[in-house]
Amino acid sequence: MSATSRRRGPLIASGTETVTQALAGERRAIARLISLMERGGAEARQVLSQLHPHTGQAHIVGITGAPGTGKSTLVAEMAKVYRRQGQSVGIVAVDPTSPFSGGAFLGDRIRMRELATDRQVFIRSMATRGSLGGLARATADAVHVLDASGYPVILVETVGAGQSEVDIARVAHTTIVLQMPASGDEIQAIKAGILEIADILAVNKADLAGADNIVTALQAMLDLGSARSEWHHGQLLDAEGVVSDSSGEQLSWRPPVLKTCALRGEGVEELLAAVQTHWQYQCDTGVREYRERERANDELRRILRHDLMARLLDRIADTDLVDTVERIVAREEDPYSAAERLIAASGLEAG
Amino acid sequence: MAETKIRVLIAKPGLDGHDRGAKVVARALRDAGMEVIYIGLRQTPEMIVEAALQEDVDVVGLSILSGAHMAIVPRVIHLLEEYGLSNVAVFLGGIIPDEDVLVLRELGVRGIYGPGTFLDDIVQEIRREVTAH
Ligand SMILES: Nc1nc2c(ncn2[C@@H]2O[C@H](COP(=O)(O)OP(=O)(O)OP(=O)(O)O)[C@@H](O)[C@H]2O)c(=O)[nH]1
Ligand SMILES: [Mg+2]
């Protein structure tokens, strides 16, 4: 028997046992369940069903930002502070899969060396395996595994693609967007869209020149945004960036802009205080439940879409699909009518 | 649907300074379609095995140029067993004297590669080890 089948074989027979072990915090079981999530398929779904009642406990914190902004270094420093506070920490660090080879170089652990033998810290490196948007398809499921296994804080480092890392806002309760000082065109370095997903903005490498310029630029952008009274995560921001209810309680959130120097661990405690404030704000104002519902809604729709599609394709012969494509290309049929016809012929709509 | 990738942990234990060779191998394995978890320099056996556990790897690759292989490799293998990871294949790169090669193979090291080894051979042997029969 090969190493792979030896190692992975028993899981098929005793998925439930592995789930029990993971729920009890056994690290090897947790690791194997995450691998199962990466492989996907029916068994992964079955395990997720078993884990679901145990999830929803963790505070999930996302860290995103352009390549080399210091995400991994900061994640390690954050984990160290959580550990000093007595909390165990789960970490998922995502790096890109090479589109050419399908392989990946996962290097985030290099910066997390100091956490390497702390048994209360569980670090998992993940390759995107073709997913765009900054996370792997299985990242959310890996987070579910860690959540169910009892990690109260889970830090998720996205790919540093520097553009559309929007997935993280769907997975995390609190998203930290990292910036760093740049020479010259600082303003351009701040990508549009980033403010929409940021709950906290951190300017890392504050030891380098130009950090204050970035802070000022970010504050100015936030001022612009709130002057237009934008919805931010379902909450209305007024000109002051704050909406109060009759009791004068703050109902909306303006992302704070903080400076950190991850290399020296500076500003990290303040960052965690902001993370905690954001969590408290979400719990107090109902934003947490609102987002939870949004997430569940998203997930359900995604699963429905996937499952319906799979069932539909099961009922349509490949040759039928090929023929239809030919007819569309030959302008004998338009794609909308073709879709209608195929769905009708599938029998899925019966009744 | 089910997607299985070979996962390899590459570490540079011991105190010798640079990891160029380890990185070259890591890149070759990535280019061969494997997922390489690179953990870098100055790794103790405890760090390596803990990472192997969390990352659920198929293979641990060690690069040791310091001559400390007889101190490090048996300890890694012992810890892997202790952690219930004896199915993880251990590969070793470095300048290893013949008599040590015999001992290390006896201990269960699957591949030992000296300077001048073709990267392709390492790739093939890891593939064979993980997917064979
Ligand atoms: N000067 C300075 N350098 C830092 C700081 N934080 C991180 N770095 C350095 O920035 C480089 C990149 O750090 P990483 O933590 O790997 O950055 P990353 O965002 O995780 O990188 P990718 O995962 O590759 O996108 C490293 O050389 C770090 O040592 C800081 O606060 N100040
Ligand atoms: Mg990183």
Side-chain angles (χ1 to χ4, degrees):
Chain A
M1 235 200 290
S2 75
T4 300
S5 51
R6 265 206 307 270
R7 193 166 59 82
R8 287 174 178 156
L11 188 54
I12 315 277
S14 60
T16 305
E17 194 185 318
T18 310
V19 168
T20 308
Q21 290 166 346
L23 291 176
E26 213 201 274
R27 288 169 1 272
R28 183 162 161 251
I30 295 168
R32 296 176 73 191
L33 288 187
I34 295 176
S35 299
L36 176 64
M37 295 309 143
E38 291 198 280
R39 289 201 297 285
E43 198 195 0
R45 288 174 157 229
Q46 207 180 314
V47 165
L48 282 170
S49 306
Q50 289 175 284
L51 294 177
H52 187 256
H54 305 276
T55 58
Q57 307 299 313
H59 182 186
I60 302 158
V61 181
I63 295 90
T64 188
T69 40
K71 297 181 291 296
S72 302
T73 313
L74 187 65
V75 163
E77 291 303 315
M78 290 171 73
K80 277 161 66 182
V81 176
Y82 280 121
R83 291 296 299 124
R84 283 206 291 277
Q85 297 171 355
Q87 307 218 60
S88 56
V89 183
I91 297 173
V92 180
V94 188
D95 273 320
T97 291
S98 154
F100 305 106
S101 68
F105 184 93
L106 311 174
D108 294 317
R109 285 186 91 104
I110 298 170
R111 315 274 173 221
M112 305 182 187
R113 198 174 168 281
E114 285 176 72
L115 307 170
T117 54
D118 185 341
R119 294 190 171 201
Q120 301 303 315
V121 178
F122 191 103
I123 307 169
R124 182 62 175 239
S125 313
M126 266 187 138
T128 52
R129 298 192 180 180
S131 289
L132 306 170
L135 299 180
R137 176 193 54 75
T139 301
D141 294 338
V143 168
H144 289 325
V145 172
L146 291 170
D147 182 356
S149 305
Y151 290 89
V153 180
I154 300 168
L155 307 177
V156 181
E157 176 185 341
T158 73
V159 166
Q163 26 184 340
S164 57
E165 292 86 26
V166 288
D167 283 359
I168 189 63
R170 272 197 289 270
V171 171
H173 299 106
T174 303
T175 300
I176 302 171
V177 175
L178 227 57
Q179 301 280 320
M180 66 176 187
S183 51
D185 48 353
E186 294 99 326
I187 311 282
Q188 268 178 316
I190 301 166
K191 296 277 194 307
I194 256 171
L195 295 185
E196 269 117 78
I197 65 164
D199 297 307
I200 296 170
L201 288 152
V203 176
N204 191 39
K205 308 200 185 184
D207 53 313
L208 303 181
D212 288 324
N213 292 345
I214 301 275
V215 171
T216 309
L218 288 169
Q219 293 288 13
M221 287 177 79
L222 287 170
D223 289 343
L224 271 179
S226 51
R228 290 200 311 272
S229 276
E230 284 191 339
W231 287 91
H232 185 77
H233 293 139
Q235 296 293 316
L236 190 65
L237 292 164
D238 72 8
E240 276 75 52
V242 172
V243 172
S244 301
D245 67 8
S246 50
S247 67
E249 226 179 312
Q250 184 174 315
L251 284 181
S252 70
W253 180 265
R254 175 184 165 120
V257 184
L258 303 172
K259 284 196 286 185
T260 58
C261 174
L263 209 52
R264 299 195 210 120
E266 288 165 12
V268 180
E269 291 190 17
E270 291 80 353
L271 178 63
L272 289 205
V275 168
Q276 187 54 35
T277 304
H278 184 247
W279 183 233
Q280 201 55 53
Y281 151 79
Q282 289 189 88
C283 295
D284 293 348
T285 54
V287 171
R288 181 183 171 189
E289 278 120 74
Y290 172 87
R291 282 214 203 172
E292 190 78 35
R293 216 159 268 128
E294 229 179 18
R295 216 187 327 272
N297 186 32
D298 267 8
E299 196 170 23
L300 179 63
R301 280 163 193 269
R302 186 173 49 74
I303 295 167
L304 282 172
R305 210 175 296 130
H306 177 275
D307 286 11
L308 276 177
M309 186 71 174
R311 268 176 225 185
L312 183 66
L313 289 178
D314 267 357
R315 287 159 178 256
I316 301 172
D318 285 349
T319 49
D320 216 2
L321 272 183
V322 173
D323 289 349
T324 305
V325 168
E326 285 311 317
R327 293 170 38 158
I328 293 168
V329 172
R331 299 297 185 276
E332 290 165 18
E333 192 175 16
D334 70 278
Y336 294 100
S337 311
E340 285 287 346
R341 178 175 58 76
L342 288 172
I343 291 170
S346 74
L348 268 187
E349 277 186 325
Chain B
M1 180 180 340
E3 196 178 4
T4 304
K5 297 260 178 184
I6 297 177
R7 283 171 71 85
V8 185
L9 186 89
I10 299 277
K12 182 98 182 64
L15 298 176
D16 54 314
H18 76 80
D19 59 351
R20 229 175 28 237
K23 274 191 174 149
V24 169
V25 173
R27 297 246 145 76
L29 298 180
R30 177 202 59 188
D31 293 342
M34 301 180 197
E35 291 183 353
V36 181
I37 297 100
Y38 189 79
I39 61 175
L41 292 166
R42 290 165 176 263
Q43 298 288 322
T44 65
E46 285 75 12
M47 290 169 153
I48 293 164
V49 175
E50 184 62 43
L53 174 97
Q54 293 172 7
E55 299 288 353
D56 193 25
V57 294
D58 306 285
V59 175
V60 167
L62 305 171
S63 162
I64 307 179
L65 297 170
S66 59
H69 49 271
M70 292 312 280
I72 293 162
V73 180
R75 175 97 184 121
V76 168
I77 289 178
H78 174 76
L79 283 173
L80 282 172
E81 268 162 28
E82 201 178 293
Y83 276 58
L85 302 173
S86 36
N87 297 317
V88 173
V90 176
F91 286 75
L92 174 62
I95 305 163
I96 316 292
D98 289 348
E99 61 269 30
D100 292 348
V101 168
L102 287 176
V103 178
L104 291 171
R105 283 218 174 259
E106 192 67 25
L107 271 174
V109 177
R110 297 307 172 89
I112 299 179
Y113 307 102
T117 308
F118 289 109
L119 291 169
D120 235 23
D121 292 343
I122 302 180
V123 168
Q124 295 309 330
E125 281 181 46
I126 287 179
R127 261 207 201 116
R128 202 175 316 135
E129 184 62 41
V130 177
T131 58
H133 44 269

